[in-house]
C-alpha cells in the first residue's frame, strides 16, 4: 500500500489522477490531506480516487502509527512547508507526524516538490538534509518560474521502483 500525502500546492488538483493511476497499477492507496490541500480539493475527491476514507486529522485511532509501515509514503505535492518541517522533525499536523513515524520505521519516503522556484531555491539546504537522511525526491519540472509537478507517469514509475527496490 502507498500512503499518498497531499499538501497545499495547486498541484494537489492532479492527485485524483495520480491516485487513480496508482490503483490501475494494482497499488492500494490511502490518502492523508493537509488543511491547505483541503482548501484546494475536497477530501471526497480523494476518497473517490482511492476508494478509502481520507485522513485529515489524527484521532484516537493513531493513524500516524497505523499507516507508518506501508510500502511507501508518497508526498505529492510536497510543499516547502512540509519539507522544511520534516527536515527538522516538526510534527504539528497529521502528515508530518506520519512522516516522522515512518522515518523512525525506515519506511521509504518519496517527496515530489511543487512550488515557486524561489521557494524551491530557498529550501535547498532542507532538501539536502532530507536527502542525506535517505529521503527520496523526484525532481520537479522547472518551467515558468515554478518547480512544477512532474508527469504523473513518472511519479507512478518512481513509486513502483522504490516499492520493488525495498522488497529485494
Amino acid at each position: 500500500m502507498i500512503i499518498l500525502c497531499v499538501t497545499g500546492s495547486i498541484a494537489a488538483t492532479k492527485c485524483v489522477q495520480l491516485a487513480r493511476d496508482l490503483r490501475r497499477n494494482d497499488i492500494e492507496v490511502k490518502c492523508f490531506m493537509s488543511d491547505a490541500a483541503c482548501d484546494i480539493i475536497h477530501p471526497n475527491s480523494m476518497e473517490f480516487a482511492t476508494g478509502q476514507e481520507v485522513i485529515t486529522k489524527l484521532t484516537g485511532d493513531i493513524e500516524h502509527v497505523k499507516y507508518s509501515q506501508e510500502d511507501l509514503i508518497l508526498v505529492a505535492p510536497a510543499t516547502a512547508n512540509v519539507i522544511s518541517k520534516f527536515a527538522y522533525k516538526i510534527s504539528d499536523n497529521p502528515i508530518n507526524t506520519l512522516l516522522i513515524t515512518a522515518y523512525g520505521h525506515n519506511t521509504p519516503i518519496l517527496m515530489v516538490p511543487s512550488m515557486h522556484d524561489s521557494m524551491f531555491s530557498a529550501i535547498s539546504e532542507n532538501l539536502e538534509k532530507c536527502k542525506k537522511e535517505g529521503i527520496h525526491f523526484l525532481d520537479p519540472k522547472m518551467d515558468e518560474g515554478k518547480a512544477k509537478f512532474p508527469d504523473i507517469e513518472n511519479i507512478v514509475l518512481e513509486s513502483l521502483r522504490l516499492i520493488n527496490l525495498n522488497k529485494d
Side-chain angles (χ1 to χ4, degrees), residues 3 25 28 42 45 64 68 84 88 93 100 109 111 121 123 125 137 140 144 150 156 162:
I3 307 304
N25 280 276
E28 188 178 359
H42 197 278
S45 299
H64 63 290
S68 65
S84 297
Y88 290 93
N93 61 61
I100 292 166
I109 298 171
M111 294 197 184
S121 295
I123 65 162
E125 288 180 18
F137 285 86
E144 300 177 336
V156 170
L162 288 172

Side-chain angles (χ1 to χ4, degrees), residues 1 48 51 64 66 103-104 149 154 157 163 165 167-168:
M1 177 187 301
F48 163 77
H64 63 290
K66 185 176 183 179
Y103 178 74
F149 210 56
N154 292 341
L157 288 172
I163 289 171
L165 184 67
K167 287 183 179 178
D168 290 341

Side-chain angles (χ1 to χ4, degrees), residues 1-4 27-30 32 52 63-74 98 101-102 105-109 162-163 166-167:
M1 177 187 301
I2 288 179
I3 307 304
L4 174 59
I27 300 292
E28 188 178 359
V29 180
K30 180 75 175 175
F32 278 56
Q52 297 197 44
E63 296 85 350
H64 63 290
V65 175
K66 185 176 183 179
Y67 295 107
S68 65
Q69 296 183 67
E70 298 298 340
D71 296 318
L72 178 69
I73 309 297
L74 171 60
L98 170 71
T101 307
H105 286 299
N106 295 314
T107 301
I109 298 171
L162 288 172
I163 289 171
N166 198 43
K167 287 183 179 178

